[in-house]
Amino acid sequence: MTGSAPETHRDGKPTLEYVKGMPKTFASMTNEQILLFAELEIPEACRECIVRDVMVVDNVEYDEAMKVFEKIAETNREGMTAAAFPFYLGMGVALTAGYASFPLVFHKETVEWFNEKFVTLELPPPEDLETYFEVGAASWEWMEPILGHISFFLLCMAFSRSQLQNLGIRPYYHWQRERRSRLLIKSYPQYDAEFLANYSKCDRLVEPHEMSP
């Protein structure tokens, strides 16, 4: 006669014996739990899928499979800096243009240089360029169309971006993720392609995710 199954809940609350068996690391979770979290793009779960697949394919234990995963992770990060470059470039251009706008509007020597090289309008007499506000009033004659048009262009781009987000479209970001996952699958064809792709896509551009056990 077999004993009854241990009680898991009492009065709608978990029992002590039940919670003692709660997994505290991804390595201790069941295959079903790992697959569920991997579909949610949890990096540790995606890693665990690859590790367990390596164990089966290579017929090795967990620690040896983890060493193979570390090589896979290194391969996945190859070319990551180049993939992130457009984002760094956009951020750099925006910061540079933003800070450069101050001297181009309010700094007398910069305004005079810019006018001489690119505008060639007659500036007010020196006595009308003695303060930052007077310099700004003079430079605004040509800076207003530039800054105004750029502002309108960025407003249109921001609205367009919001519509792309509503549609779930991120052209370059999705393209570089798909490209990176294809390269990883090509580098390790012996392992499950979906596991490799899931891990590759959840890896961050700037720095690798700090994995918990």
Side-chain angles (χ1 to χ4, degrees):
M1 181 178 179
T2 59
S4 60
E7 186 179 15
T8 60
H9 288 72
R10 186 180 305 118
D11 298 328
K13 302 173 184 177
T15 62
L16 175 61
E17 290 301 318
Y18 176 69
V19 300
K20 283 182 178 179
M22 182 180 69
K24 296 183 178 180
T25 65
F26 282 88
S28 62
M29 292 183 181
T30 65
N31 292 334
E32 292 76 14
Q33 290 172 322
I34 291 298
L35 289 172
L36 174 62
F37 286 127
E39 287 300 317
L40 298 176
E41 296 188 354
I42 305 299
E44 290 84 353
C46 295
R47 172 202 63 191
E48 197 66 26
C49 284
I50 294 177
V51 171
R52 298 185 186 194
D53 189 45
V54 171
M55 292 175 68
V56 174
V57 174
D58 294 354
N59 194 29
V60 295
E61 293 297 332
Y62 189 89
D63 291 341
E64 290 299 316
M66 183 61 74
K67 294 177 182 179
V68 176
F69 167 78
E70 291 172 356
K71 295 179 181 178
I72 294 174
E74 290 178 4
T75 302
N76 188 59
R77 295 206 62 80
E78 292 177 358
M80 197 76 84
T81 302
F85 177 75
F87 298 106
Y88 286 116
L89 178 63
M91 180 176 63
V93 169
L95 289 174
T96 301
Y99 282 110
S101 66
F102 287 96
L104 286 170
V105 174
F106 298 107
H107 186 250
K108 180 181 178 181
E109 286 73 19
T110 304
V111 168
E112 290 176 337
W113 170 83
F114 188 85
N115 178 58
E116 179 183 351
K117 296 293 184 182
F118 303 104
V119 184
T120 66
L121 286 179
E122 184 177 353
L123 289 172
E127 59 268 21
D128 291 335
L129 296 174
E130 294 179 348
T131 68
Y132 291 120
F133 297 106
E134 290 177 335
V135 173
S139 66
W140 199 243
E141 186 172 356
W142 64 80
M143 291 301 295
E144 182 180 18
I146 298 174
L147 297 180
H149 181 72
I150 291 175
S151 298
F152 179 73
F153 175 77
L154 291 178
L155 178 65
C156 292
M157 292 299 100
F159 179 77
S160 175
R161 180 176 182 270
S162 68
Q163 304 316 306
L164 288 174
Q165 289 178 327
N166 291 337
L167 295 171
I169 299 173
R170 298 180 65 182
Y172 175 75
Y173 179 76
H174 288 154
W175 172 82
Q176 60 85 23
R177 285 211 317 171
E178 291 293 337
R179 177 179 178 274
R180 190 168 67 244
S181 65
R182 288 195 301 268
L183 290 174
L184 189 64
I185 293 170
K186 185 177 179 180
S187 299
Y188 297 92
Q190 67 272 38
Y191 303 126
D192 188 274
E194 184 176 356
F195 292 163
L196 293 171
N198 287 343
Y199 171 76
S200 179
K201 292 177 181 178
C202 73
D203 200 3
R204 297 188 297 194
L205 279 172
V206 178
E207 60 184 10
H209 183 85
E210 186 176 345
M211 297 281 194
S212 58

